[in-house]
Amino acid sequence: NESPLRRHTRMQAMELALQWAGAQDVRVDWAMRYGRPSIAERLQHLADEGCDRILAVPLYPQYSASTTATVNDAVFRALMRMRRQPAVRTAPSFTDHPLYIKGVANRIRETLRGLDWEPQLIVGSFHGLPQRYADAGDPYPAECERTMAALRQEVGLSAERFPMTFQSRFGRERWLTPYTAEYVAALPAQGVKRIAVVAPGFLSDCIETLDELGRELRESFLGQGGEQFCLVPCLNESREAVRLLDALVSDELAGWIP
């Protein structure tokens, strides 16, 4: 069965391809960093089709050496094996791009309008990162802060009403804090029994948003005495996601497309 992330990514690519159907000689393809179709095979396919200028767009909103950089590394490794290399550009992260921030904020508003209760807190949960990565200079924590600052301003909430946490920690070493699981589990004892959770570090829903947050975190929160829990969907293949990708691609293809 097709995973949620794979389906949403494929749909985003298809929608973007339709958006660019009128542009001269522009092809839109997609690949998975871990899985199939691989970056190497799709790059080779595009080169075989005669594409001599290729833009790679990592779909991680915030930059990290462990995410965005590994996509670019995979692109460059594939180029090393090509006898004839196309010209390649890589798109930067879109940490606080206005269209991304407005899209996520609208998702939050739409989701909350559908509830018959009001959250006391909205928790912004990002994928975690070992603290030593940040200590070595990885910009990921600062980019997460920028995303949260822009989101708080857009939805009109303070850091107290819209805190930032980090999920998916494993192993014994220290990761970025506060940890989502521990933070949320402690809320009912503090009198916070109605919460919504949003994952601004993901453009598309995946096993980490749907299972780790939507099931495990929900069960933990309710098990500790919480009463209401809501997970805000990611942008997925929404028109807002496609508008964002269209803007990113348009900016990066400047000079290549008349």
Side-chain angles (χ1 to χ4, degrees), residues 122-239:
I122 301 176
V123 179
S125 181
F126 293 80
H127 193 291
L129 192 73
Q131 182 63 47
R132 60 186 170 88
Y133 286 37
D135 294 341
D138 197 298
Y140 180 71
E143 297 218 349
C144 292
E145 290 280 5
R146 283 171 51 196
T147 298
M148 285 300 299
L151 274 176
R152 288 170 183 146
Q153 182 175 6
E154 183 68 24
V155 299
L157 291 176
S158 65
E160 290 72 27
R161 289 287 311 280
F162 197 175
M164 179 175 74
T165 63
F166 296 92
Q167 68 199 53
S168 305
R169 174 174 62 104
F170 62 89
R172 295 184 178 182
E173 69 176 306
R174 186 169 183 267
W175 284 46
L176 298 177
T177 57
Y179 303 133
T180 300
E182 294 180 3
Y183 182 90
V184 168
L187 289 176
Q190 302 169 22
V192 179
K193 300 191 176 184
R194 305 184 308 276
I195 67 169
V197 177
V198 63
F202 294 82
L203 186 60
S204 297
D205 279 309
C206 62
I207 195 71
E208 291 181 41
T209 58
L210 299 176
D211 191 65
E212 184 178 354
L213 298 181
R215 184 184 64 81
E216 292 181 4
L217 191 66
R218 178 194 299 271
E219 291 176 355
S220 174
F221 178 70
L222 297 179
Q224 293 298 318
E227 297 174 354
Q228 301 285 359
F229 181 100
C230 170
L231 178 64
V232 177
C234 294
L235 294 189
N236 298 321
E237 66 269 34
S238 65
R239 297 306 302 174

Side-chain angles (χ1 to χ4, degrees), residues 50-112:
C51 297
D52 58 2
R53 290 170 294 179
I54 296 176
L55 169 67
V57 186
L59 297 182
Y60 298 102
Q62 298 81 27
Y63 179 95
S64 172
S66 63
T67 55
T68 307
T70 68
V71 171
N72 296 338
D73 289 345
V75 170
F76 300 141
R77 280 196 298 270
L79 291 175
M80 289 172 61
R81 294 189 291 270
M82 291 184 179
R83 179 61 61 182
R84 181 181 180 85
Q85 296 179 341
V88 172
R89 290 179 180 175
T90 60
S93 57
F94 43 98
T95 303
D96 49 8
H97 192 289
L99 290 179
Y100 185 59
I101 297 303
K102 288 184 181 298
V104 175
N106 286 340
R107 277 292 207 195
I108 294 172
R109 296 187 188 102
E110 292 167 1
T111 301
L112 298 190

